[in-house]
Amino acid sequence: MKLTLKIWRQNGPEDKGGVVTYPIEGVSEDMSFLEMLDVLNEGLTAKGEEPVAFDSDCREGICGMCGVMINGEAHGPERTTTCQLHMRSFRDGDEIVIEPWRADAFPVIKDLCVDRGSLDRIIQSGGYISANTGSAPDAHATPVPKDDADRAFMAAECIGCGACVAACPNASGMLFMGAKITHLGEFPQGQPERDARVLSMTGQHDEEGFGGCTNLGECSRACPKGIPLNVISQMNGDLLRAQRHRA
Amino acid sequence: MATSTISAGKRPRTGSILLKTVMAVTGVIFVGFILAHMYGNLMIFAGKDSFNEYAHHLREFGTPMLPEKGFLWIMRITLLVSLVLHAASAFLLWSRAGRARTVRYVQRKGEWATFVKRSMRWGGVALLVFVVFHLLHFTTLTINIGGTYDNPADRLVASFGEWWAVLIYLFAIACLGMHLLHGIWSAGMTLGLNTSLDMAERLRLVAILVAVVVVVGFALPPVAIFLGLIP
Amino acid sequence: MTAPLIEGLYREGEPIADTAAPAGPIAEKWTQRKFDAKLVNPANRRKLDVIIVGTGLAGASAGATLGEAGYNVKSFCYQDSPRRAHSIAAQGGINAAKNYKGDGDSIYRLFYDTVKGGDYRSREDNTYRLAEVSADIIDQCVAQGVPFAREYGGLLDNRSFGGVQVSRTFYARGQTGQQLLIGAYQALERQIGAGTVQMYARHEMLELIVVDGKARGIIARDMVTGEVQTHLADAVVLASGGYGNVYFLSTNAMGCNVTASWRAHRKGAYFANPCYTQIHPTCIPVSGDHQSKLTLMSESLRNDGRIWVPKRREDCEKDPRDIPEEDRDYYLERLYPSFGNLVPRDIASRQAKNMCDEGRGVGPKVGDFRRGVYLDFKEAIGRLGEDAVRAKYGNLFDMYKQITGEDPYQVPMRIYPAVHYTMGGLWVDYDLQASIPGLFVTGEANFSDHGANRLGASALMQGLADGYFVLPNTIRDYLADGPYEPIDVKHPAVVEAQDAVERRITTLLGINGDRSVDSFHKELGHIMWEYCGMERTEEGLRKAIDLIRSLREEFWRNVRVLGAADTLNQSLEKAGRVADFLELGELMCIDALHRRESCGGHFRAESQTEDGEALRNDDQFLYVGAWEWGGDNGDPVLHKELLEYEAIELKQRSYK
Ligand SMILES: Cc1cc2nc3c(=O)[nH]c(=O)nc-3n(C[C@H](O)[C@H](O)[C@H](O)COP(=O)(O)OP(=O)(O)OC[C@H]3O[C@@H](n4cnc5c(N)ncnc54)[C@H](O)[C@@H]3O)c2cc1C
Ligand code: SF4
Ligand code: FES
């Protein structure tokens, strides 16, 4: 396949950046999208041009490190991560526009790499259950209904990639946050801190400069793990409850 | 030892979810009002007298516990406050969303979400303008269409004899329908009602149902009047 | 160090006499050690600094636990968030001797299975302790909210894994590693929020600081700004994962590296059993030259899938669905009637290689041979129904389809072995302390528990055992003697380390040759896979050592690294890692060459039984080979830690 790539290049956080066009040939259908970029980078290196910086690590769709906007869609046209997207999804002669995630809470570091530390700070503010090492009761002490455990698992599948934020017209981080609140809130162990968790995390979310959710659902459509929108509703409900309890 | 549990309460409370909650609650108030309003409008099909009687009844509702028009004023104040809160929250959220992404994408897909987003914002603004017009028309009687009449039913019938008035109202009703379609769904989300995939389906269904009922219910009188179906 | 140079490649030094394990019956050693280890007064903990490199299961759990205890922790990872460490990719599950199924499991049985699975090349004391603390791990994770699979009654579910006959594996669908790591990550973030842990994400450790014989800090590069920073502490913990990426293609993440361990090795830490590599039998085969990594298909697939190749070479090109039953060779079922498709990984992998070497491999040709065998679910779909198969393996089938474009519900999967795990690593004693005092090594980065082959679902167990329960108890014995004397940043040892890192960066950027870093990495990987992979020979290993030496020489003359030192520079990062792999690769080959026996994942063609099974040589090789760095122009020095089996009787492994 022959393709035309239009890639966002930006030399550093302060640089203004812009789109640069690169033609590329000899792309095979079996390549993953990132392997196609590897090929581009080998070519650039050979020509003495600095390779395009992009993030990836596991390349199995689980670590959440990769993620770029491909033709205006987070992680590209399929519901999967960028690293699991294969060139089969494109046609010979296609033009592909590649941009970094855009949100003020995710400043660009270089080219296609952004800083998603804001997601970590949301977790820091309460996305956990306080269980000190060694103080745990036997794992079978509290049975958990299978339905609850399954819903918790579904929400816990989030890989923290940030595609939801990138896709959201409001650059909101609520799908990510709702997933964590739903995950921990489904367990008996998560109850003692349930109110405090939602109050603290939602506060941190706004402080990081994410936008507010207007329930459009783009996040869930872009999410490679298919996290459903109802985690946001769950979080909203939890917040109302927490505020009632505090009042 | 420096272990910790979550300490809530150190954060500001004007969070975006709070703003959305305000929008949801005021939105629900509007939905109630709109349904009642629609019921009143449909009275016209029972004849001009019934319609006038209903309008009169509104003024006296609650008397003698309340002074005359007392109920009406309570309603008006509630609606006005709701409107201010609803719109203010909307504008605040709008501006926050703008600040959350100051550098835009070169290319963007997701046309539907963008359309819904715009229709909520600009449709909302259009509704705001319309409400002012509507109040000037039927409440303060500042605007007169098709002549001046002293009872509500005659005023109604005369106004909708004009094709352009019908068009303005139909456009507003369409905006309202769109607004409800997403607004009711959104209010349900914000109030924590969507807790499973089934609930999501139901919520969507309710939103569609209410939107359709409202659009049809509001569109019937002006269309019927224009077509001369109401004597 | 006076012993003669052996084969011109290495010297033999003093054996390792002491592993610091307490005396007494094996079942009481850990209790004894915990009691003997000195305590640190809570008020003093704040004054003690601990550096932890790595935020995988081993590093995040240690960071969280030491933070909770009140120490001052600095945590490092090269990814943009601690949650992305490669532990996240583990699919299958985690073992624990809970005996919730009442099928006769026990601490002793888990211990026994691990030693046997490791082909009797692991240290009994450490392995026993691993089995002992395994049950606590599950309790801890459940308390944190890890969503393990449950039964309808609300209790935890278990599955069984290759090489054992009890159900002791806890799992969270195909994402066990992810869920466990998120649990540890959240505990770590909680401590970051509380201020006991300082997180340095996108920071790469490039040097160890050793002062007066003790590990006292690291040099790290801020990968965003390029700043070369000095971090000092009372103790340093390396939890930096495995080095499978020396093979270029592996199931490891792109960034997995040996740099942290290797830098410590060059500063005096022994590197043990570097040649013990695990090659996992069920991975998606290579599809072409562009390939950047290999993807694992969980071992659990072998519970229901049947592995076969055509009986005749002529059939290899045919559509597998057109090959009748009688023309198929279900070779594992044929060769190992009692374990069948569930033999341990090393055996399953080698037999797949043998089939392909015979010319009976399937799939596209890579070089001269087809490299793949079928993993067929037709029978399982017939027996259980497609829906049941989907419920069990749906996410794996989807992943397979995403990558290959083939639908495994219709056509058999094609699989082939790939490098997956490294049993070797920095040598540690019972306290997980390396041969440099004050340096501790946990998780896959150390060599300790798995001998020459690791059983499925035991690495997650080891990472969390080390981080939550073992290290926090042993490191306090070392820290109790602290705070150690403060060190000035102008101390010669610190300045020397800092300069070395800066010099190296400048050199790499200045060579400006013709070849990209990746091209060197690929070539090294090819050499390693060919000669130090599933089957190793004297001749091949000698050849490999020569090839690696000349490749290394070319690297430092001809590599091209573009860009600047003071920004994010991924070529520069890779170059540093590949430079270290080029040194490690040689040591792996030397280790493989010197060990003239077959054991676990290390198969020497010269040492096999008549029917082609691995043949150990306990008389000569019942030891851990711990290598000391011999200097840039010197030769490595071998220190033997003799293994003693008291609790378990030595036997030749058999899965027939
Ligand atoms: C695909 C796959 C599937 C697996 N499945 C299973 C399974 O089902 N069951 C099982 O028990 N085991 C499994 N394993 C093995 C197991 O996952 C690993 O052995 C284990 O998770 C290693 O954990 P760790 O904490 O030691 O290292 P890792 O999780 O690899 O973490 C290494 C950490 O070190 C950091 N680091 C490395 N070098 C540097 C440096 N120079 N500077 C700064 N930071 C650095 C990294 O950022 C990272 O945080 C699997 C492995 C793979 C690859
Ligand atoms: S919710 Fe989905 S899109 Fe958002 S971070 Fe998690 S996995 Fe990514
Ligand atoms: S690189 Fe890990 S999810 Fe894509």
Side-chain angles (χ1 to χ4, degrees), chain A residues 56-59 61-66 81 83:
Chain A
S56 78
D57 203 30
C58 74
R59 296 207 177 178
I62 193 75
C63 75
M65 183 94 176
C66 66
T81 55
C83 60

Side-chain angles (χ1 to χ4, degrees), chain C residues 503-534:
Chain C
R503 249 194 335 271
R504 198 161 125 110
I505 292 173
T506 320
T507 311
L508 286 170
L509 286 169
I511 298 171
N512 208 7
D514 312 320
R515 283 183 65 179
S516 71
V517 178
D518 274 357
S519 78
F520 282 101
H521 195 176
K522 276 187 190 174
E523 190 173 335
L524 172 68
H526 184 75
I527 298 171
M528 294 301 294
W529 180 242
E530 206 51 40
Y531 303 110
C532 196
M534 272 185 280

Side-chain angles (χ1 to χ4, degrees), chain A residues 35 42 45-46 54-55 57-60 63 88 110 120 124 132-133 138-139 157 160 180 183 189, chain C residues 65 68 81 84 100 139 142 145 175 185-186 189-190 202 254-255 292-293 402-403 516 560 568 570:
Chain A
E35 283 164 354
E42 281 289 284
T45 306
F54 62 89
D55 275 324
D57 203 30
C58 74
R59 296 207 177 178
E60 295 191 7
C63 75
R88 256 170 250 126
K110 183 168 181 168
D120 288 327
Q124 250 163 58
N132 283 2
T133 305
D138 186 86
E157 278 192 84
K180 187 49 57 200
H183 161 203
Q189 300 88 307
Chain C
T65 306
E68 276 163 27
S81 161
R84 308 201 201 283
Y100 280 161
D139 300 341
V142 165
Q175 286 127 303
Y185 155 76
Q186 287 169 189
E189 289 293 339
R190 170 173 163 236
R202 285 200 201 262
M254 303 306 288
S292 61
K293 78 152 282 161
Q402 189 73 38
I403 293 172
S516 71
R560 170 181 285 191
L568 184 71
Q570 293 171 330

Side-chain angles (χ1 to χ4, degrees), chain C residues 247-407:
Chain C
Y247 291 85
F248 187 70
L249 286 182
S250 77
T251 64
N252 284 7
M254 303 306 288
C256 289
N257 67 86
V258 76
T259 293
S261 300
W262 194 253
R263 293 285 123 193
H265 173 58
R266 290 176 57 109
K267 285 282 166 86
Y270 296 173
F271 208 113
N273 301 335
C275 79
Y276 289 167
T277 314
Q278 180 163 83
I279 307 214
H280 195 292
T282 53
C283 302
I284 301 178
V286 177
S287 70
D289 290 337
H290 54 264
Q291 191 125 1
S292 61
K293 78 152 282 161
L294 296 171
T295 303
L296 181 84
M297 290 278 103
S298 168
E299 174 159 291
S300 60
L301 290 171
R302 286 200 275 146
N303 280 318
D304 285 306
R306 296 179 71 194
I307 296 177
W308 63 277
V309 291
K311 281 189 178 152
R312 291 189 306 257
R313 286 184 209 182
E314 309 84 81
D315 288 349
C316 291
E317 280 167 54
K318 279 195 189 160
D319 184 326
R321 288 169 293 187
D322 297 339
I323 302 176
E325 223 25 58
E326 62 274 16
D327 289 339
R328 301 177 175 191
D329 179 9
Y330 295 92
Y331 57 89
L332 288 177
E333 297 168 29
R334 172 169 60 83
L335 294 168
Y336 307 95
S338 70
F339 277 71
N341 291 301
L342 288 175
V343 291
R345 293 174 174 177
D346 49 338
I347 296 178
S349 293
R350 213 175 50 255
Q351 292 301 354
K353 176 181 182 321
N354 289 345
M355 296 305 133
C356 296
D357 288 350
E358 282 175 22
R360 295 197 286 145
V362 297
K365 274 194 178 168
V366 178
D368 293 338
F369 288 101
R370 293 171 203 283
R371 293 271 167 219
V373 299
Y374 290 125
L375 175 60
D376 200 334
F377 286 87
K378 183 141 182 275
E379 195 244 11
I381 291 173
R383 181 164 40 91
L384 307 166
E386 186 165 324
D387 286 342
V389 171
R390 194 183 302 276
K392 261 180 152 167
Y393 307 115
N395 62 335
L396 296 170
F397 278 38
D398 292 347
M399 182 148 87
Y400 182 86
K401 187 170 178 200
Q402 189 73 38
I403 293 172
T404 61
E406 289 173 14
D407 179 3

